């Protein structure tokens, strides 16, 4: 990993000069850092967001990085970018990068059936930990077709998690490789096979391939005692902290803990193609499967639509993809109770944004945050279920106001997804003046 050692120093230098910085956006507009800060604070206030860390990249370098709000609301602990977050499905983003490094090292092949790496049938293993065993698959031999590629592009046929199923059993719901359906189970299967092949734990592999080379001292797939006293709390919509779930079994799909600063080290390496061959990087961000579902989860995940055909919504290896007049983009989200994260990179413009939040309310401001920070009006927010605040008529006695205009926009609020069509600012619901 040449140049990886300079990433930390580069981030520190860049993040220390946020004030007065001008941020370039994908639509060829710019925003002053002070204005962006004001926009973020206004949005967080409007949606009652507990805390948020956000970084913007121009020319694949951090030009704006800042923590807002509180790490713990009742304790009034200020949020810092150095504090440890539960990363939720950002775990999958790091794991995908690790897998592609192993592909480069010829440890694993993307298209070789995973069962071929095992010394005995998959269904004969007794597996400890959260991923569970695979005896449920004995009567369906389609599991023998599943490859690393299918795990990374979410086409294994597995459900997201077996415990969401009525009978709590793992099953294959469609022919592997034919349809997109987000699955943590698929990533856990790939993790198991890699651990068997290398005789190493995921944590060891991650340290060797990512954490140590990039200087990520506050990142781990298993809870570290050193995180105590420096951890962020996830909050419900009313600002009450959830109990922290410390994960002691590495899970490729969702056990990563990391500081925001450390995640930026990873993301900087990723978008600058460090640690990967050109062919592996290109394969990661090449469309593997088109996505036709109206939403990623819930009942509308079973409803096909043409809503996202214009952006050619697809999935690559570990990341979602879409195409826009402003170039190609890849994205990854993270979601759990109290945790809402999103990142998107417009690779042709070398412009990106990374967000990590400790509030159940943050997804309601992702749409305006993306528009304000980098001019992203393309992220498939409805597919992601990022329903913006202010999309309905105001309550009786209230109206929506645009802070810069200081004018009521209530009559058009619902038509513009809660965004002032003039200033592009989030409308705030306040008592009628």
């Amino acid at each position: 990993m040449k140049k990886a050692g300079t990433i930390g120093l580069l981030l520190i230098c860049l993040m220390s000069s946020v004030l007065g910085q001008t941020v370039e956006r994908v639509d060829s507009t710019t925003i002053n850092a002070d204005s962006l800060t004001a926009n973020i604070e206004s949005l967080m206030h409007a949606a009652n967001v507990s805390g948020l860390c956000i970084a913007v990249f121009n020319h694949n370098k951090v030009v704006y990085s800042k923590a807002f709000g509180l790490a713990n609301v009742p304790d009034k602990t200020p949020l810092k970018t150095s504090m440890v977050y539960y990363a939720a499905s950002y775990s999958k983003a790091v794991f995908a990068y690790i897998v592609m490094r192993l592909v480069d090292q010829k440890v694993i092949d993307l298209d070789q059936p995973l069962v071929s790496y095992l010394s005995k049938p998959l269904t004969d293993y007794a597996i400890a930990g959260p991923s569970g065993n695979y005896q449920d698959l004995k009567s369906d031999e389609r599991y023998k077709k599943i490859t690393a590629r299918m795990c990374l592009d979410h086409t294994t046929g597995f459900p997201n998690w077996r415990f969401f199923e009525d009978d709590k059993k793992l099953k294959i719901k469609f022919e592997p490789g034919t349809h997109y359906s987000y699955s943590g189970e698929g990533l856990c299967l790939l993790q198991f096979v890699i651990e068997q092949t290398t005789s190493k734990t995921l944590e060891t592999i991650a340290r060797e391939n990512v954490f140590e080379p990039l200087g990520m001292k506050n990142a781990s797939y298993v809870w570290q005692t050193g995180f105590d006293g420096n951890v962020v709390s996830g909050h419900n919509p009313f600002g009450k902290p959830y109990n922290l779930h410390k994960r002691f079994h590495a899970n490729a799909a969702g056990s990563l803990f990391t500081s925001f600063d450390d995640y930026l080290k990873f993301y900087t390496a990723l978008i600058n193609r460090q640690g990967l061959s050109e062919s592996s990087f290109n394969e990661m961000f090449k469309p593997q499967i088109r996505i036709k579902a109206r939403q990623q989860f819930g009942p509308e995940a079973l409803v096909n639509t043409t809503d996202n055909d214009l952006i050619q919504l697809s999935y690559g290896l570990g990341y979602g993809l879409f195409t826009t007049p402003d170039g190609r983009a890849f994205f990854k989200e993270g979601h759990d109770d109290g945790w809402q994260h999103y990142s998107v990179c417009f690779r042709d413009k070398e412009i990106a944004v990374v967000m990590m939040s400790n509030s159940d309310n943050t997804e309601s401001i992702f749409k305006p945050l993306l528009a304000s920070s980098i001019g992203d009006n393309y992220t498939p927010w409805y597919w992601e279920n990022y329903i913006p605040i202010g999309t309905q008529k105001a309550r009786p006695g209230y109206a929506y106001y645009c802070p810069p205009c200081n004018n009521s926009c209530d009559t058009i609020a619902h038509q513009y997804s809660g965004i002032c069509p003039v200033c592009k600012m989030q409308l705030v619901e306040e008592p009628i003046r």
Side-chain angles (χ1 to χ4, degrees):
M1 274 193 183
K2 295 179 180 179
K3 300 182 181 177
T6 65
I7 290 175
L9 179 61
L10 179 63
L11 284 169
I12 292 171
C13 294
L14 288 167
M15 290 188 287
S16 66
S17 59
V18 166
L19 294 179
Q21 183 73 256
T22 297
V23 175
E24 299 173 13
R25 301 191 280 201
V26 297
D27 57 1
S28 300
T29 63
T30 62
I31 185 170
N32 180 273
D34 293 336
S35 297
L36 178 55
T37 295
N39 288 1
I40 294 168
E41 290 173 339
S42 176
L43 285 165
M44 291 180 64
H45 172 73
N48 191 33
V49 171
S50 305
L52 172 71
C53 287
I54 180 170
V56 178
F57 292 73
N58 285 173
H59 308 290
N60 285 348
K61 299 176 182 178
V62 176
V63 294
Y64 179 96
S65 181
K66 192 172 178 64
F68 296 84
L70 300 173
N72 184 289
V73 170
D75 293 345
K76 297 182 180 180
T77 306
L79 180 61
K80 299 177 182 179
T81 59
S82 59
M83 300 178 80
V84 175
Y85 272 89
Y86 171 53
S89 285
Y90 274 3
S91 306
K92 298 179 178 74
V94 176
F95 182 62
Y97 176 86
I98 291 169
V99 173
M100 297 311 292
R101 280 182 55 79
L102 297 179
V103 169
D104 282 339
Q105 297 164 21
K106 302 190 184 306
V107 172
I108 195 164
D109 183 273
L110 288 173
D111 297 309
Q112 185 170 331
L114 292 179
V115 295
S116 68
Y117 291 96
L118 301 176
S119 60
K120 60 183 178 180
L122 174 65
T123 54
D124 287 353
Y125 284 88
I127 304 169
S131 60
N133 295 304
Y134 293 97
Q135 282 83 1
D136 295 341
L137 301 176
K138 277 188 175 181
S139 62
D140 189 345
E141 293 201 345
R142 290 181 295 177
Y143 75 86
K144 296 179 180 179
K145 300 178 181 180
I146 294 173
T147 64
R149 186 185 302 276
M150 295 174 192
C151 295
L152 293 176
D153 68 15
H154 296 279
T155 62
T156 59
F158 290 155
N160 189 6
W161 295 109
R162 68 187 74 188
F163 52 76
F164 290 152
E165 299 296 299
D166 291 339
D167 59 5
K168 312 300 181 187
K169 292 184 177 181
L170 182 62
K171 55 183 66 71
I172 298 174
K173 297 193 162 190
F174 55 83
E175 184 68 17
T178 64
H179 179 73
Y180 173 85
S181 183
Y182 194 85
S183 176
E185 292 282 359
L187 277 296
C188 287
L189 172 60
L190 180 55
Q191 173 189 344
F192 171 71
V193 171
I194 288 174
E195 289 179 330
Q196 291 295 309
T197 301
T198 61
S199 299
K200 296 178 181 179
T201 65
L202 172 59
E203 178 67 10
T204 297
I205 296 168
R207 291 202 172 279
E208 292 176 350
N209 285 275
V210 183
F211 302 154
E212 291 177 358
L214 298 181
M216 297 171 65
K217 296 181 180 180
N218 286 307
S220 177
Y221 275 98
V222 292
W223 181 261
Q224 304 293 320
T225 56
F227 295 162
D228 291 319
N230 190 42
V231 67
V232 180
S233 298
H235 296 79
N236 72 13
F238 307 101
K240 181 180 178 180
Y242 290 100
N243 292 328
L244 180 66
H245 181 195
K246 298 178 180 180
R247 290 157 170 83
F248 296 99
H249 293 280
N251 184 314
S255 70
L256 180 67
F257 289 90
T258 179
S259 69
F260 187 69
D261 288 340
D262 274 3
Y263 194 77
L264 292 186
K265 293 176 183 178
F266 161 72
Y267 202 79
T268 300
L270 173 71
I271 64 177
N272 283 285
R273 310 184 182 202
Q274 295 177 11
L276 294 177
S277 67
E278 183 177 356
S279 62
S280 284
F281 181 89
N282 290 337
E283 194 66 29
M284 279 187 80
F285 301 113
K286 181 179 78 175
Q288 307 287 328
I289 187 82
R290 281 292 292 272
I291 297 174
K292 293 291 187 178
R294 185 162 171 76
Q295 285 197 310
Q296 182 167 211
F297 299 113
E300 289 198 282
L302 303 176
V303 178
N304 284 343
T305 181
T306 59
D307 289 355
N308 294 308
D309 282 3
L310 190 63
I311 62 170
Q312 300 176 45
L313 182 63
S314 307
Y315 223 82
L317 300 178
Y319 291 81
L321 310 173
F322 57 85
T323 302
T324 79
D326 293 314
R328 299 167 294 174
F330 60 84
F331 64 93
K332 187 70 193 82
E333 63 285 273
H335 178 103
D336 203 343
D337 289 343
W339 310 102
Q340 297 185 348
H341 315 318
Y342 188 75
S343 64
V344 61
C345 175
F346 286 76
R347 54 186 293 196
D348 301 311
K349 292 290 185 79
E350 297 187 338
I351 292 174
V353 63
V354 177
M355 297 180 284
M356 297 184 75
S357 171
N358 63 335
S359 169
D360 279 341
N361 295 329
T362 315
E363 288 173 357
S364 71
I365 62 171
F366 276 171
K367 186 175 187 290
L369 270 175
L370 292 167
S372 178
S373 60
I374 62 169
D376 171 17
N377 293 298
Y378 306 105
T379 282
W381 59 271
Y382 186 79
W383 181 79
E384 291 276 20
N385 200 34
Y386 295 163
I387 308 303
I389 60 170
T391 54
Q392 304 295 325
K393 288 282 189 177
R395 293 172 292 171
Y398 286 72
Y400 286 109
Y401 291 89
C402 174
C405 294
N406 201 31
N407 292 324
S408 171
C409 296
D410 186 49
T411 57
I412 52 84
H414 63 292
Q415 298 177 22
Y416 291 89
S417 299
I419 307 298
C420 175
V422 177
C423 297
K424 311 300 182 187
M425 278 286 290
Q426 176 72 40
L427 303 173
V428 179
E429 188 184 43
E430 295 181 356
I432 293 175
R433 299 168 185 172

